[in-house]
Amino acid sequence: MTSWNGLNTAYFTEDKDDHIYNALVRSIVEHQLLPGSKLPEEALAEVFSVSRTGIRRVLQRLAAVQLVTLLPKRGAHVTTPDAQESRDVFATRKILECANLPQVIAHCQSPHLVAMKKLVQEEKRAHDERNGAAAIRLSAAFHVQLQAISGNKVLTESVSQLTLRSSLAIAAWGAPWQQGCRCHDHDDLIDLLKKRDVAGLTESMAHHFDSIVASLRFEQNNGHTPDFAQIFGTRKPVTGKDAD
């Protein structure tokens, strides 16, 4: 199954409870469920028409990929990465993505450039329309698909996973309208990729991540309980094993 950022990833599979799991992942990384949001089992069970046991399984899976935090006697809430963790996520992406750029350039062909340009155009449109969910998704897709040009599937999967945690960091510490990356940065990166300028592309990518971190506002957030019915809408009852 294709993930929210355009890559086939283990975060999105087709096992039991996945329709709920995938809906929650998308709502978290697209900033509908913000860091610190409480995730009561009873409320989620009601909106998805499943048992609390089923919801508990999903929350445990989300905790395993660090999108949800489970605390004894306090229940589940969307993970709020602290300032140092947020910096570390972007620092790790900077190291991985910059180091792989020579391979990206070596494997880049004209169809890759066309596809990347199309992604940036769609991202600009999302920003113009203030479509936050699409802007976040397309911003992540740009970075994932750029690294995928290299053919290094392991590194591309790592970047894909890190984009989820990057979205949490931006949701926790970003400005009110900071959805993904700055479009003009992505335009500049494509121009340098087209010129096959390894040094320039690496320097611009590093500056790109430094600018994101510099824009974050490391202040405390307070948890709240979202309106799940509004976020997820009407859900069809789950039958069979999914209702366990």
Side-chain angles (χ1 to χ4, degrees):
M1 180 179 289
T2 301
S3 77
W4 74 290
N5 57 21
L7 185 73
N8 290 326
T9 168
Y11 283 98
F12 288 79
T13 57
E14 296 180 356
D15 296 332
K16 185 177 179 181
D17 304 320
D18 272 3
H19 61 295
I20 303 173
Y21 176 84
N22 294 344
L24 285 169
V25 169
R26 286 190 175 91
S27 295
I28 291 170
V29 299
E30 293 179 359
H31 299 183
Q32 293 175 306
L33 292 173
L34 295 173
S37 297
K38 298 176 182 177
L39 302 172
E41 292 178 4
E42 185 175 357
L44 288 170
E46 180 179 355
V47 77
F48 285 107
S49 300
V50 297
S51 69
R52 292 181 65 176
T53 300
I55 292 298
R56 194 172 299 123
R57 285 197 300 263
V58 171
L59 293 176
Q60 288 169 345
R61 289 174 62 187
L62 290 168
V65 295
Q66 298 177 297
L67 294 182
V68 164
T69 299
L70 302 175
L71 296 174
K73 298 182 180 181
R74 293 181 58 187
H77 60 268
V78 178
T79 298
T80 301
D82 63 26
Q84 188 57 53
E85 180 183 347
S86 298
R87 291 189 180 97
D88 289 346
V89 167
F90 284 107
T92 302
R93 285 189 60 187
K94 177 179 173 180
I95 292 169
L96 288 176
E97 295 187 41
C98 288
N100 197 42
L101 289 177
Q103 289 301 310
V104 171
I105 289 178
H107 289 81
C108 185
Q109 303 294 328
S110 294
H112 294 129
L113 292 170
V114 172
M116 297 304 297
K117 193 68 177 179
K118 182 180 178 182
L119 265 179
V120 173
Q121 291 170 347
E122 292 175 355
E123 184 185 3
K124 286 180 179 177
R125 189 179 309 117
H127 276 275
D128 290 342
E129 297 173 353
R130 298 189 72 80
N131 184 341
I136 295 166
R137 183 173 61 254
L138 292 165
S139 175
F142 175 89
H143 284 268
V144 173
Q145 298 306 328
L146 178 66
Q147 296 302 320
I149 293 172
S150 71
N152 187 329
K153 294 182 179 180
V154 174
L155 185 142
T156 304
E157 171 68 12
S158 297
V159 170
S160 177
Q161 294 170 1
L162 284 168
T163 62
L164 300 179
R165 296 178 68 183
S166 299
S167 180
L168 271 181
I170 291 174
W173 307 111
W177 180 252
Q178 185 177 352
Q179 310 291 353
C181 303
R182 299 181 300 187
C183 295
H184 67 83
D185 280 4
H186 289 172
D187 260 334
D188 293 343
L189 292 171
I190 290 177
D191 288 341
L192 291 165
L193 177 62
K194 186 176 181 179
K195 295 175 183 177
R196 298 187 179 276
D197 182 352
V198 176
L201 183 58
T202 302
E203 181 180 357
S204 292
M205 182 69 81
H207 179 71
H208 180 55
F209 283 118
D210 290 342
S211 296
I212 294 173
V213 174
S215 71
L216 300 180
R217 303 173 177 178
F218 294 112
E219 300 170 357
Q220 188 62 43
N221 292 297
N222 296 317
H224 64 284
T225 302
D227 184 340
F228 298 114
Q230 180 180 4
I231 292 173
F232 298 111
T234 303
R235 297 282 171 174
K236 295 181 180 179
V238 180
T239 58
K241 293 183 178 180
D242 284 342
D244 292 342

